Amino acid sequence: AEMKQFAKSDTSVLKQHYETKLHEMEQEKRAFQKEIEDLRHALAKLSSSTDECSHKMKDNYLQKLSMLENQVSQLKKKQDAHQQLLRQKQKSDDAAMRLQGEIQRIKSQKVQLQQKIKQESEQFRSWKAAREKEVLQLKKEGRRNEYEMHKLLALNQKQKMVLQRKTEEATMATKRLKDLLEAKKSTRDAHGTGASGIQVLLQKPDNISVNTIGFCTLTLYYV
């Protein structure tokens, strides 16, 4: 900002300098032109005189007039040059102002872009954090589901084993029941009495276990 102010101040000073010089040259040119007019009037008065003194004065006036006209011509050239410089300076100032405006516009766009990038970056971080949290939650649920699945598989395997054991026990019990019924039938045929299968079993404790007797008793109850 300080450099910008300095450059602006320097430009104003330079422009003022050119304008001052042009004004001074214009004043000087007018003075020369007035002097030229005076000399021309003087020469016009001396044009009718033929004496030696008048002739010398006329020559001096002509020399001075030529010198003044040359000076005026040089001043005009300087004025034109200064005016050209002043126009160029004005164009340069205009271009500098346009450039400065463009720079300010770019800076403003840069600030807006930085704000947008920051906002989008924050939104992305929030989105990423939410996704990471969601992934962690899914992983946690996945591990829990896997654990539950292993538990269910283990329980299912255990139930299968229990079922298999129960099935085997039921098969054995069915076989023993069948043997019991056969023994009961054989006993009835042999003794011709109505002795129960329980009595037969009690008479032969080595043939079947107490649990089997209980199971068979319950079975006979419903037969």
Side-chain angles (χ1 to χ4, degrees), residues 147-190:
Y147 172 74
E148 292 295 332
M149 183 183 68
H150 284 306
K151 279 181 63 178
L152 289 174
L153 287 174
L155 179 60
N156 184 51
Q157 186 64 25
K158 184 178 179 181
Q159 289 176 343
K160 281 183 179 180
M161 293 177 66
V162 170
L163 180 60
Q164 184 178 356
R165 181 170 56 82
K166 294 293 185 182
T167 302
E168 291 174 353
E169 289 178 354
T171 302
M172 291 177 64
T174 302
K175 185 177 180 300
R176 288 174 181 175
L177 178 60
K178 184 178 180 181
D179 293 341
L180 175 62
L181 293 174
E182 290 293 334
K184 178 181 178 182
K185 182 179 180 182
S186 297
T187 302
R188 286 177 178 174
D189 293 340

Side-chain angles (χ1 to χ4, degrees), residues 104-135:
Q104 291 298 326
R105 185 182 66 81
I106 292 173
K107 284 183 177 179
S108 178
Q109 289 180 344
K110 180 181 177 182
V111 170
Q112 293 176 357
L113 181 61
Q114 288 175 337
Q115 291 176 347
K116 184 177 180 181
I117 291 173
K118 182 179 179 181
Q119 182 180 3
E120 290 179 352
S121 178
E122 290 176 352
Q123 290 176 349
F124 175 75
R125 281 198 297 270
S126 299
W127 175 86
K128 184 179 178 183
R131 296 293 80 75
E132 288 176 349
K133 184 178 180 181
E134 184 177 349
V135 169

Side-chain angles (χ1 to χ4, degrees), residues 175-211:
K175 185 177 180 300
R176 288 174 181 175
L177 178 60
K178 184 178 180 181
D179 293 341
L180 175 62
L181 293 174
E182 290 293 334
K184 178 181 178 182
K185 182 179 180 182
S186 297
T187 302
R188 286 177 178 174
D189 293 340
H191 298 284
T193 63
S196 68
I198 300 300
Q199 291 173 339
V200 175
L201 287 174
L202 290 175
Q203 291 172 358
K204 297 179 181 180
D206 294 335
N207 292 333
I208 196 164
S209 66
V210 176
N211 289 333

Side-chain angles (χ1 to χ4, degrees), residues 1 10 16 20-21 34 46-47 60 63 67 69 72 77 90 93 97 113 131 137 151 164 172 177 180 190 200 208-209:
D10 185 62
Q16 186 177 0
T20 302
K21 290 295 294 183
K34 185 176 184 305
L46 291 174
S47 60
N60 288 334
Q63 290 179 0
M67 181 183 68
E69 287 177 344
V72 169
K77 289 180 180 179
Q90 186 62 44
D93 290 345
M97 288 181 66
L113 181 61
R131 296 293 80 75
Q137 185 65 26
K151 279 181 63 178
Q164 184 178 356
M172 291 177 64
L177 178 60
L180 175 62
V200 175
I208 196 164
S209 66

Side-chain angles (χ1 to χ4, degrees), residues 44-57:
K45 290 179 181 180
L46 291 174
S47 60
S48 58
S49 301
T50 56
D51 58 278
E52 185 68 20
C53 182
S54 297
H55 183 70
K56 288 182 179 181
M57 288 178 65

